[in-house]
C-alpha cells in the first residue's frame, strides 16, 4: 500500500494536471470498489471545475468549484493514469506501484477533460471514491485519524499522553493511523533505525529522548522520501519516466542479512514479524 510520500507525489502530479480544469464526462465501468460508487457520482463530478487536489494522510482530496469534495483512496493496488488525447505517451502512471503503463484490465473509473482523461485502475478493488458534501463532513471524515507527522500537534506532549497505559510495541504504534497518519510499514522501520530504537520495544518504556527522536525522524524520513520521489518498491516509472529514488536510501527496509550502514556499527540487519508485518532493524545499534 502506498504510504504518505507516495500519495503526496500522486497529489502533486494530479494537481498539476487537473487544477482549474473542467470535468466534461465521467464513466464508471465498475462500481464495486471497497465502497460501492454511488449512482449519482457521475452527476456529482460532471461540469465541475477542479479547484485543487489536496491530501490528508494517505487520502487524496479533490476540491470542486461548488465547495464540495471527492475523497480518493488508492487502497492496496490502485493507480491513477493520465491519457493525453493529443500527445500520447507510453508512460501514463501517476502512482508508484504496479506497471507504469495503462493496464488493459481493471480500469474502473474514467474522468474526462477537454484534452485528456484520468483513469483509475485497481486490480484488487480496495480503493474507493467518496462524495463529501461540505467542509463539516470533510473534517468529520478524518476525525478518527491522528495528526500527520508534519503537524505541530505531533509533539512530545501528544506522544507521551497517547502512550500512557498502552502495551503496544513502538513499531505497532507508528503504523497505528489513530496515533499518527500516513506512516506505514516501510517508513516505520526507517524512522526507528534513525532513532536507534528497537521496533519491539514497549512504548511504556520509551524515555523522553527516544520520543523526541522518533517525532523528529518521522518528519525527516518522510520529507526526504517526498523529495526523492517516494519509494518504487516495484517496477514503476512516473510520468516523467523516472523512478522514485528513496528505496536507494533504505537503511534497513528489505536489507535482511546485510551489514548495517551506520558508521562504525558492526551489526547485521534482522527481519522480524511484528503485528503481522515484516520489520527490519539492526541487531547491534537498535538495542
Amino acid at each position: 500500500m502506498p504510504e504518505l510520500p507516495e500519495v503526496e507525489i500522486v497529489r502533486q502530479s494530479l494537481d498539476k494536471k487537473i487544477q482549474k480544469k473542467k470535468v466534461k464526462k465521467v464513466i464508471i465501468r465498475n462500481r464495486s470498489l471497497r465502497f460501492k460508487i454511488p449512482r449519482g457520482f457521475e452527476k456529482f463530478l460532471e461540469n465541475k471545475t477542479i479547484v485543487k487536489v489536496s491530501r490528508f494522510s494517505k487520502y487524496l482530496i479533490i476540491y470542486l468549484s461548488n465547495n464540495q469534495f471527492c475523497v480518493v483512496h488508492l487502497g492496496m493496488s490502485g493507480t491513477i493514469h493520465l491519457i493525453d488525447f493529443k500527445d500520447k505517451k507510453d508512460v501514463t502512471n501517476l502512482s508508484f506501484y504496479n506497471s507504469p503503463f495503462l493496464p488493459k484490465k481493471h480500469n474502473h473509473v474514467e474522468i474526462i477533460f477537454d484534452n485528456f482523461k484520468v483513469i483509475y485502475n485497481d486490480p484488487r478493488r480496495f480503493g474507493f471514491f467518496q462524495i463529501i458534501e461540505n467542509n463539516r463532513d470533510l473534517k468529520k471524515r478524518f476525525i478518527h485519524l491522528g495528526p500527520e507527522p508534519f503537524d505541530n500537534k505531533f509533539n512530545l506532549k501528544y506522544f507521551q499522553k497517547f502512550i500512557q497505559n498502552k502495551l503496544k510495541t513502538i513499531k505497532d504504534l507508528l503504523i497505528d493511523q489513530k496515533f499518527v497518519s500516513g506512516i506505514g510499514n516501510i517508513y516505520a522501520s526507517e524512522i526507528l533505525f534513525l532513532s536507534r530504537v528497537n521496533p519491539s520495544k514497549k512504548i511504556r518504556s520509551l524515555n523522553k529522548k527516544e520520543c523526541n527522536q522518533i517525532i523528529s525522524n518521522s518528519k525527516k524520513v518522510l520529507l526526504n522520501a517526498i523529495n526523492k520521489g517516494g519509494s518504487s518498491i516495484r517496477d514503476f516509472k512516473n510520468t516523467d519516466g523516472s523512478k522514485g529514488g528513496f528505496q536507494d536510501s533504505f537503511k534497513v527496509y528489505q536489507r535482511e542479512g546485510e551489514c548495517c550502514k551506520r558508521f562504525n556499527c558492526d551489526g547485521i540487519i534482522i527481519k522480524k514479524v511484528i503485528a503481522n508485518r515484516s520489520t527490519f532493524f539492526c541487531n547491534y545499534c537498535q538495542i
Side-chain angles (χ1 to χ4, degrees):
M1 178 184 290
E3 301 181 28
L4 186 155
E6 289 74 53
V7 178
E8 173 59 20
I9 298 303
V10 176
R11 184 206 69 78
Q12 292 175 12
S13 299
L14 196 57
D15 186 61
K16 185 168 65 174
K17 299 292 185 181
I18 70 174
Q19 188 182 113
K20 299 182 180 179
K21 301 293 193 302
K22 188 175 183 179
V23 178
K24 296 297 182 181
K25 187 176 182 180
V26 177
I27 300 172
I28 308 297
R29 302 195 183 278
N30 187 348
R31 296 184 185 274
S32 299
L33 302 182
R34 180 179 175 185
F35 306 124
K36 203 172 188 72
I37 298 177
R39 288 290 171 186
F41 184 75
E42 295 93 327
K43 187 176 180 181
F44 176 77
L45 276 186
E46 285 174 355
N47 298 313
K48 306 298 191 306
T49 298
I50 308 299
V51 176
K52 66 177 180 178
V53 181
S54 184
R55 178 194 55 75
F56 180 77
S57 182
K58 303 174 186 180
Y59 299 82
L60 296 168
I61 307 169
I62 301 174
Y63 284 62
L64 303 174
S65 53
N66 62 346
N67 296 317
Q68 294 181 323
F69 311 89
C70 176
V71 170
V72 183
H73 194 280
L74 300 176
M76 295 291 291
S77 60
T79 52
I80 295 177
H81 299 259
L82 188 136
I83 306 296
D84 194 311
F85 297 146
K86 295 180 179 179
D87 182 22
K88 293 184 178 180
K89 297 179 180 179
D90 290 334
V91 176
T92 63
N93 196 343
L94 299 181
S95 303
F96 282 81
Y97 290 80
N98 301 315
S99 171
F101 312 108
L102 178 65
K104 293 181 180 180
K105 294 182 178 180
H106 311 298
N107 295 320
H108 304 308
V109 179
E110 293 188 16
I111 302 174
I112 301 170
F113 298 86
D114 271 335
N115 300 314
F116 63 93
K117 63 181 177 180
V118 171
I119 297 177
Y120 177 74
N121 180 281
D122 190 352
R124 297 187 183 182
R125 292 185 287 133
F126 289 158
F128 61 83
F129 289 72
Q130 186 173 6
I131 291 172
I132 304 291
E133 300 283 355
N134 51 57
N135 274 291
R136 184 190 66 229
D137 289 346
L138 184 66
K139 291 180 181 179
K140 187 177 178 180
R141 177 64 182 80
F142 301 117
I143 199 168
H144 65 291
L145 298 175
E148 287 196 348
F150 302 120
D151 195 318
N152 290 332
K153 294 178 182 178
F154 186 55
N155 54 36
L156 181 63
K157 182 179 179 181
Y158 169 81
F159 197 118
Q160 291 182 321
K161 183 179 180 180
F162 193 95
I163 66 176
Q164 284 180 355
N165 303 318
K166 290 186 173 64
L167 301 176
K168 288 184 175 184
T169 66
I170 180 56
K171 166 64 189 305
D172 197 14
L173 180 72
L174 274 183
I175 61 175
D176 181 353
Q177 301 303 296
K178 293 179 182 179
F179 169 62
V180 60
S181 294
I183 297 175
N185 199 44
I186 297 171
Y187 298 109
S189 288
E190 294 296 309
I191 290 164
L192 292 174
F193 173 78
L194 282 187
S195 305
R196 294 177 181 264
V197 175
N198 190 294
S200 297
K201 189 167 186 173
K202 298 295 184 181
I203 54 177
R204 62 184 177 183
S205 64
L206 291 170
N207 59 41
K208 182 178 178 180
K209 180 181 178 181
E210 289 171 327
C211 291
N212 274 323
Q213 285 286 343
I214 291 167
I215 293 167
S216 175
N217 287 323
S218 295
K219 304 176 195 296
K220 181 178 179 180
V221 167
L222 294 181
L223 184 60
N224 190 22
I226 291 170
N227 289 337
K228 291 186 176 181
S231 298
S232 296
I233 307 303
R234 305 178 192 174
D235 182 19
F236 168 77
K237 292 183 179 179
N238 62 24
T239 50
D240 296 323
S242 57
K243 286 188 176 183
F246 189 73
Q247 71 280 355
D248 299 328
S249 301
F250 285 161
K251 299 294 191 296
V252 290
Y253 188 77
Q254 290 188 336
R255 296 191 63 246
E256 180 185 11
E258 297 182 30
C259 295
C260 180
K261 289 186 176 182
R262 200 185 302 277
F263 181 69
N264 278 343
C265 179
D266 296 325
I268 300 295
I269 305 306
I270 302 297
K271 178 181 177 181
K272 183 177 181 180
V273 176
I274 300 176
N276 297 318
R277 304 297 302 274
S278 295
T279 302
F280 301 85
F281 63 99
C282 175
N283 66 352
Y284 187 81
C285 63
Q286 285 178 268
I287 57 174

